[in-house]
Amino acid sequence: MLSKLIVLRTALAPAIWGTTYLITSTLLPPDVPLLAGVLRALPAGLLLLLVTRQLPHGSWWWKSLILGALNIGIFFPLLFLAAYRLPGGVAATLGAVQPLIVQTIAVRLVGEQLRTRAILAGLAGLVGVALLVLQARARLDLLGLAAALGGTFSMAVGIVLSKRWANGLAPVTSTAWQLVWGGVLMVPALLIFEPLPEQLGARSLLGFGYLSTIGGALAYVIWFAGIRQLPTVTSSFLGLLSPLVATLLGWVVLAQAFTAGQAVGAVIIIGALTAVLANRRTPPSPRGLFIEPGLCDSSGVDIVTRRLTLRPLLPKEAKRIVEREPELGDRWHPEYPLDDELDPLRALAASRDPEAIFTLYSIRTTEGDVAIGGIGFFGPPDAEGAVEIGYGLVEALRGQGFATEALIAATGFALQNGATAVKADAAVGNLASQRVLAKAGYVERSRSDELVRYTFV
């Protein structure tokens, strides 16, 4: 289950951004979207750099530049252009298409599963958007609509890449450089395409100050820290709070029209947001899971699913597998074992008192009883009740759901036998393994340049 504190904290950012439309329409000078973008980003980034005093390193020079362009340099001008040309509620609510865009991109880039609940919630959000837009009595400007949708797509890609490249820099440092790069990228366009106002009054300075400190530095530090800890789809759905806040402020403060149809749209959007955030996972219960004692010299139990049998390995069998010396009755796929399994198998082969439950298992086909891979635990539960699991499947049989089926069964078995959490990791570039973990209900907790770490609680 997602931490409520992390969700609530991250939700503050889009709620703050929902005030952008009110500030733009009441305090800022007219028709200066690029100036608004630069003054929101660059001072905020420089302020954060004064706090962190840290330079990017290695690949983070170009990564922070790309993220700064997507999240700031492209997004900000389009955001303010939409804010100037559309009513606040309409402009902000178009961002509700972002969860669908994020889901599509996240499948390829970070290995997250495309879940039916999230897809339906995204479609419901679109219905809510349509009701809010079509019921609005204000004129809908095509350029404003295009700017709003373009900004939404830019930030959607930025969210996914922020997740994929998480943990390269501290959140404040990463935020600072993204704001600086984004502001710098907007300066040439500002000088070429937008005449500067002759002077800025007190109201304008107040508005720009708010957008830079609260809407820029504070909100983005909160946002990027949350992206690291939450699934990308969850983060994108939190963005629905922005149009809700904008619509409410437009109605209450600016006396903008708010019809019954728009109210229905708002309710639908709230329902979509609730459906995703309240999606609590339950422990896995694979079909046909049952225990057959006595099949392994009384040292363990088989875990049986619809298509597979997970059989605990004894030291003598582990020794035969490592040495590739089968006995009568041993049935191994030609690609078994995988290279990654050899070290754990050697350790088990040398063990005189192996763990009976939290041990290594061979993954065997129910039909034919052939070993096609391995799955196992790196010891019994620790002081906090957590165990770590690893798995592998021969390449010839990947893509058929065997790894997911085995992982679900082994995870459920661990929880039934005293574990309170199961941890796993996958290489950053191993998107197939990341998809397996996501399908089995694991949630990403952190990542480094090499590994993505998951937990099932």
Side-chain angles (χ1 to χ4, degrees):
M1 184 177 62
L2 297 175
S3 167
K4 292 181 179 179
L5 179 60
I6 295 174
V7 172
L8 290 174
R9 184 187 63 198
T10 308
L12 285 176
I16 291 172
W17 294 332
T19 66
T20 298
Y21 302 92
L22 175 64
I23 298 299
T24 300
S25 58
T26 58
L27 296 179
L28 301 190
D31 300 322
V32 289
L34 291 174
L35 177 63
V38 170
L39 292 183
R40 181 177 183 179
L42 198 52
L46 294 175
L47 177 63
L48 292 176
L49 281 182
L50 289 176
V51 176
T52 64
R53 299 179 183 274
Q54 184 177 355
L55 293 173
H57 53 80
S59 63
W60 262 95
W61 281 105
W62 62 266
K63 287 180 179 178
S64 60
L65 174 60
I66 292 175
L67 292 177
L70 292 170
N71 290 318
I72 312 295
I74 297 173
F75 175 66
F76 274 16
L78 295 178
L79 170 71
F80 283 104
L81 180 60
Y84 279 118
R85 302 185 72 95
L86 293 174
V90 174
T93 307
L94 285 173
V97 302
Q98 189 180 90
L100 289 175
I101 300 173
V102 166
Q103 289 180 70
T104 303
I105 302 172
V107 170
R108 296 294 301 173
L109 293 184
V110 295
E112 291 189 5
Q113 184 182 8
L114 200 60
R115 298 183 180 276
T116 302
R117 179 191 289 254
I119 294 172
L120 293 176
L123 292 173
L126 279 177
V127 172
V129 168
L131 287 172
L132 275 165
V133 173
L134 296 178
Q135 293 293 328
R137 296 177 181 175
R139 181 176 61 88
L140 299 181
D141 179 81
L142 290 179
L143 180 59
L145 291 172
L149 291 173
T152 297
F153 182 81
S154 177
M155 191 169 185
V157 178
I159 287 174
V160 178
L161 288 181
S162 296
K163 184 69 171 181
R164 182 178 175 86
W165 294 336
N167 293 342
L169 289 175
V172 175
T173 303
S174 173
T175 303
W177 280 101
Q178 289 186 56
L179 288 167
V180 168
W181 283 127
V184 169
L185 290 173
M186 286 185 283
V187 168
L190 168 63
L191 297 178
I192 296 171
F193 297 111
E194 189 173 283
L196 298 176
E198 295 182 0
Q199 61 180 9
L200 295 176
R203 290 172 60 86
S204 297
L205 293 175
L206 177 64
F208 284 127
Y210 171 85
L211 291 179
S212 181
T213 57
I214 307 300
L218 176 62
Y220 271 95
V221 168
I222 293 172
W223 180 247
F224 289 126
I227 286 179
R228 293 173 182 237
Q229 297 174 289
L230 297 175
T232 54
V233 173
T234 301
S235 301
S236 66
F237 270 94
L238 288 177
L240 294 177
L241 291 173
S242 180
L244 290 178
V245 171
T247 300
L248 180 62
L249 291 176
W251 175 47
V252 173
V253 179
L254 302 179
Q256 292 180 343
F258 190 74
T259 66
Q262 286 179 295
V264 172
V267 170
I268 293 174
I269 292 174
I270 293 173
L273 179 63
T274 303
V276 171
L277 297 181
N279 183 17
R280 301 190 177 192
R281 298 176 291 110
T282 57
S285 55
R287 287 180 290 176
L289 174 63
F290 60 95
I291 297 173
E292 294 185 353
L295 295 181
C296 305
D297 299 336
S298 299
S299 65
V301 294
D302 282 359
I303 306 170
V304 183
T305 70
R306 181 171 60 89
R307 300 182 298 170
L308 301 172
T309 297
L310 311 185
R311 182 160 297 161
L313 294 171
L314 296 174
K316 59 184 181 181
E317 184 179 2
K319 186 174 185 293
R320 294 200 307 271
I321 294 172
V322 171
E323 296 176 351
R324 300 296 297 176
E325 295 180 354
E327 290 185 352
L328 184 64
D330 285 334
R331 306 188 67 180
W332 304 331
H333 189 279
E335 298 177 18
Y336 177 77
L338 282 70
D339 291 342
D340 292 345
E341 297 180 81
L342 292 177
D343 285 342
L345 285 169
R346 291 189 184 102
L348 176 60
S351 175
R352 294 185 177 182
D353 185 23
E355 168 71 31
I357 298 297
F358 297 99
T359 185
L360 302 182
Y361 293 73
S362 61
I363 302 174
R364 314 183 72 89
T365 57
T366 300
E367 182 179 352
D369 195 32
V370 177
I372 61 173
I375 191 167
F377 304 94
F378 297 92
D382 60 20
E384 298 178 350
V387 294
E388 185 175 356
I389 195 170
Y391 57 89
L393 195 72
V394 297
E395 186 173 357
L397 295 177
R398 294 173 186 172
Q400 301 180 43
F402 288 126
T404 303
E405 187 172 331
L407 181 58
I408 289 174
T411 301
F413 187 66
L415 297 177
Q416 292 169 10
N417 284 274
T420 58
V422 185
K423 299 179 180 180
D425 59 50
V428 169
N430 192 347
L431 299 183
S433 184
Q434 294 173 36
R435 283 191 286 269
V436 167
L437 288 162
K439 290 177 183 177
Y442 282 69
V443 173
E444 180 182 336
R445 294 305 184 193
S446 66
R447 67 170 61 202
S448 64
D449 289 340
E450 294 82 23
L451 293 176
V452 185
R453 299 175 182 86
Y454 293 83
T455 303
F456 190 107
V457 180

